[in-house]
Amino acid sequence: MASTTPRLLRLLALLQDRAHTGRELAERLDVTDRTLRHDIQRLRELGYPVHAERGAIGGYRLGRGATMPPLLLDDDEAVAVAVAVGLAEDGSTGIADIAEQVTKALGKLDQILPKRLQRKVSALREATAIGPATTGSREPDAPVPAAVLTTLAGAIRDGATVRIAVNDSSAEIEPYRLINWQRRWYLVAYSLEDHSWSAFPVSRISHAERGSRRFAARSLPDDDLVAFVMRHVATTGWRVQARVTVLAPAETVIARINPAVGVVEAVDAETCVLYTGADALETIAIYLSMLMMDFRVDGPPELVAHIRTLARRYTESVADA
């Protein structure tokens, strides 16, 4: 029979999982019914609301109490909670008045996590940047396996290559940064297969295996990797991508553009660049006309030609008015 304290902790872990009959608990703990009742009473004295129910489907279960007693979490649960709280601390919840409480909770978790788990949590937090807050509609969630995230984060921390599996192909990459935006994850990485930078949607990575090679950091594709990913999101996945110079302050244009369909970057106080995309040239032309601002299309050439055609038609339609 285990000593009292370890046995109480094991009993608590069993009760937090689901309800158990007294016989089940006594057998799992290798104790008598009398010892089990004493242990249940000790948990109650510590503030854990252990309820007992009689009958064929009765037994012991952990209920809700008046105070918040300590929780027992397994390794995966502890890492998941710490990461989620860390993201909340970075402002991804959108709730303005819980920052202080979130910071305190994260401090308590950091203090008690074993070193092996703390390294996982720290690696993921340090490797992750948060994308801008958005309003209105957003893309559906794209769940990501925790094992993939922790592998990528650890490789980013240690400067190690990773082989990733995407669909039916695989590639060796140098991982640099994880970006969390609108409950989706993106990986900024340099592909050793085609020697190019990309922002991989992590949800498309079915498996990630850390390599044995270390790499020296390259010059990044952008000083702001969040902006790099936002530009990637706005301009890939569309049949047509466009770069447009808008003759208006960036903040004015940003107020009219959802980050999911366009990224705005300031050039100077009165000019900015809009990166956007759509499934057809005609759609982009409509979007630009709805901006109600002066602009210049930098590319693609097909969009320039299409807008010239529209300009001619509009001009001719009012020539005799």
Side-chain angles (χ1 to χ4, degrees):
M1 183 173 65
S3 61
T4 302
T5 300
R7 192 177 67 243
L8 283 177
L9 291 174
R10 189 180 175 202
L11 172 59
L12 180 58
L14 291 171
L15 291 172
Q16 286 184 159
D17 181 36
R18 63 179 177 84
H20 294 268
T21 65
R23 182 174 296 277
E24 288 175 337
L25 291 173
E27 290 177 352
R28 293 285 295 273
L29 298 172
D30 191 24
V31 298
T32 64
D33 291 343
R34 180 180 179 183
T35 299
L36 174 64
R37 289 194 295 270
H38 287 167
D39 288 348
I40 292 292
Q41 183 57 36
R42 289 189 182 97
L43 288 180
R44 289 168 175 163
E45 292 170 354
L46 291 171
Y48 294 96
V50 182
H51 300 319
E53 297 180 359
R54 298 182 180 277
I57 58 173
Y60 293 101
R61 64 179 180 84
L62 196 62
R64 300 183 185 275
T67 60
M68 179 68 183
L71 296 174
L72 288 183
L73 303 174
D74 63 25
D75 285 4
D76 290 340
E77 291 170 341
V79 171
V81 171
V83 170
V85 173
L87 291 175
E89 185 186 37
D90 288 328
S92 63
T93 63
I95 304 174
D97 57 354
I98 65 170
E100 182 179 353
Q101 290 78 7
V102 167
T103 300
K104 288 181 179 179
L106 188 58
K108 292 177 181 179
L109 284 171
D110 286 343
Q111 187 175 6
I112 64 174
L113 281 177
K115 287 186 177 180
R116 69 180 188 283
L117 302 184
Q118 181 61 57
R119 280 178 56 81
K120 286 187 177 182
V121 173
S122 296
L124 188 52
R125 289 176 60 195
E126 293 169 4
T128 301
I130 306 298
T134 61
T135 58
S137 60
R138 62 175 175 82
E139 294 297 309
D141 291 348
V144 172
V148 170
L149 276 182
T150 54
T151 297
L152 294 175
I156 291 172
R157 177 195 61 208
D158 299 334
T161 59
V162 176
R163 179 158 291 278
I164 60 173
V166 180
N167 298 326
D168 295 328
S169 62
S170 66
E172 187 176 16
I173 61 167
E174 296 175 356
Y176 283 83
R177 194 71 164 158
L178 287 164
I179 308 296
N180 178 264
W181 179 63
Q182 284 199 326
R183 299 179 67 173
R184 289 181 169 232
W185 290 86
Y186 299 89
L187 171 68
V188 178
Y190 184 84
S191 172
L192 296 174
E193 308 294 327
D194 56 16
H195 303 286
S196 64
W197 288 94
S198 186
F200 293 93
V202 181
S203 60
R204 297 181 186 175
I205 300 175
S206 58
H207 180 71
E209 183 177 352
R210 178 169 169 154
S212 58
R213 295 196 299 113
R214 300 290 182 93
F215 60 88
R218 301 174 185 270
S219 296
L220 297 175
D222 195 307
D223 291 337
D224 185 346
L225 292 183
V226 172
F228 175 78
V229 170
M230 295 297 95
R231 189 161 56 248
H232 171 85
V233 172
T235 59
T236 61
W238 300 110
R239 293 177 59 187
V240 182
Q241 291 83 43
R243 184 184 190 275
V244 181
T245 298
V246 184
L247 307 182
E251 58 269 19
T252 302
V253 180
I254 289 172
R256 299 195 182 186
I257 296 293
N258 187 316
V261 297
V263 173
V264 179
E265 296 181 356
V267 175
D268 53 41
E270 300 298 329
T271 310
C272 63
V273 173
L274 167 65
Y275 298 91
T276 188
D279 287 334
L281 294 172
E282 295 80 3
T283 303
I284 297 179
I286 292 172
Y287 287 161
L288 293 176
S289 66
M290 293 174 64
L291 276 176
M292 301 300 290
M293 301 174 190
D294 293 336
F295 61 87
R296 181 181 65 251
V297 177
D298 303 319
E302 296 82 2
L303 180 59
V304 174
H306 177 68
I307 290 182
R308 282 176 176 163
T309 299
L310 290 178
R312 177 184 58 78
R313 288 174 180 168
Y314 287 146
T315 301
E316 292 177 356
S317 70
V318 297
D320 301 326

